[in-house]
Amino acid sequence: MPEPTFLREPILDWYAENARDLPWRRPDATPWGVLVSEIMLQQTPVSRVLPVWTEWMARWPTPAALAAEPPGEAVRRWGRLGYPRRALNLHACARTITAEHGGEVPSDHATLLSLPGVGEYTAAAVASFAFGGRHAVLDTNVRRVLARAVRGEQYPPRSTTAAERALAEALLPEVGAPTWSVAVMELGALVCTARAPRCAACPVAHLCRWRLSGSPEGPPRKGQAYAGTDRQCRGRLLAVLRQAHGPVPKQALDVVWDDAVQRERALDALVADGLAEPLPDGTYRLPV
DNA sequence: GACCCGTGGTC
DNA sequence: TGACCAAGGGT
C-alpha cells in the first residue's frame, strides 16, 4: 500500500483550488451554524440543505432562539429534508445547550457525543470544523476515498471498522487536521464519487491503489426499498401535519394512505417518536 | 450486526 | 425506469 501520508499534499493542494464556498465553512460561521449544518447534512445532499440551513440561521441564530420554540416548529421548518427526527434532535440539542451549557455549543468530543442525534461522525466534525480540534472525521466520503486510494477497494465496508479508524488517525496531521478532513470529504463529494468517479480530475489518481489495479467493480450493493414502506407512509402523514397550521382531523390523514392497518401503525409510531401529537378530540398536530 | 428512519436526484 | 445514493444515528 502506498505510504498513506503521500496523499496529504496533493489533496490539500487540490482542496485549496477546488473547495466550494459553503456558508457553514465561512469564517463567520458559528459553532451553532456548524452543528445545524452537520445534522442537516446527515444522509442529505448539500444542494437540498443550503436553503433550509439559511432559513434556520436567519430565524434561529442561536441555540436559545430555537430552544424558545415548540418542537413542532422545528419539524415544520425542516420542510422536506427527510428523516424529520433530526429536527426534533436539533431542537433537543438547543434546549440542552441552553439549559446545561450556558447557551454555547460544547467544544469537546465527549460532550458533543452526549447530545441527541450527535454520533461519532457529527461529534468529530463539530469538534474539528467549529473548534479546530484534532479528530478523525470518518464520513462516507472519507471512507470511500481511503478504501480506494489505500485499500484498493471500490467501496468501504458496510460499517466502519477499527482498521478504518486506525488509518484515518494515522493520516491525521498534527497541525491543520480540520482542513485535512474537510479536504478529503470534498474530494470524495466532488471527484471520488460513488457512481462515476472523475479520476481524470483526481490529484491522487497516480497512486490510487484501486485505480492502479484497473478499477475493478465490487459486488453490487443492495439499496433500501422505499415504495410502500412504513417510511413512505410516515412521510405522507407528516407532510399533512407540516402543511397545516393547527390540528388536523383524522380524516385528513386517512386520505393520504389506503392501507388502514399500515396507516395506523405509522401514525402510532409518529406519536411514539414525538413527531405527532394526538388531541382529545381525535385530531392530530405537530408537537407543542 | 441488522434494521429502521425520508426525500429527491441521477444515469 | 428503477436501483442506487446522499457530510449518519439509534435501537
Side-chain angles (χ1 to χ4, degrees), chain A residues 40-165:
Chain A
M40 287 184 173
L41 286 163
Q42 290 169 2
Q43 300 288 286
T44 309
V46 165
S47 59
R48 289 187 22 225
V49 167
L50 274 170
V52 182
W53 183 89
T54 302
E55 270 185 51
W56 272 52
M57 288 301 100
R59 184 178 300 271
W60 300 311
T62 63
L66 178 57
E69 299 273 4
E73 194 57 18
V75 175
R76 185 188 311 286
R77 302 291 174 182
W78 193 252
R80 302 187 66 79
L81 275 187
Y83 292 141
R85 281 194 292 205
R86 294 181 294 164
L88 239 31
N89 287 337
L90 224 22
H91 181 266
C93 279
R95 290 207 166 159
T96 297
I97 290 167
T98 302
E100 300 178 17
H101 302 291
E104 302 292 332
V105 175
S107 60
D108 68 287
H109 185 276
T111 308
L112 286 164
L113 200 51
S114 73
L115 297 173
V118 176
E120 179 60 39
Y121 161 77
T122 303
V126 174
S128 298
F129 305 146
F131 297 104
R134 185 173 178 275
H135 302 274
V137 178
L138 268 181
D139 78 324
T140 188
N141 291 307
V142 174
R143 297 182 61 223
R144 189 174 54 249
V145 170
L146 298 185
R148 289 175 179 170
V150 180
R151 191 160 178 255
E153 305 278 350
Q154 184 181 21
Y155 296 118
R158 311 190 91 74
S159 58
T160 306
T161 63
E164 287 183 277
R165 289 194 196 88

Side-chain angles (χ1 to χ4, degrees), chain A residues 233-253:
Chain A
C233 181
R234 288 165 57 113
R236 293 256 187 98
L237 296 173
L238 197 60
V240 173
L241 299 185
R242 259 198 327 260
Q243 287 154 17
H245 280 262
V248 306
K250 179 124 188 341
Q251 202 264 339
L253 298 172

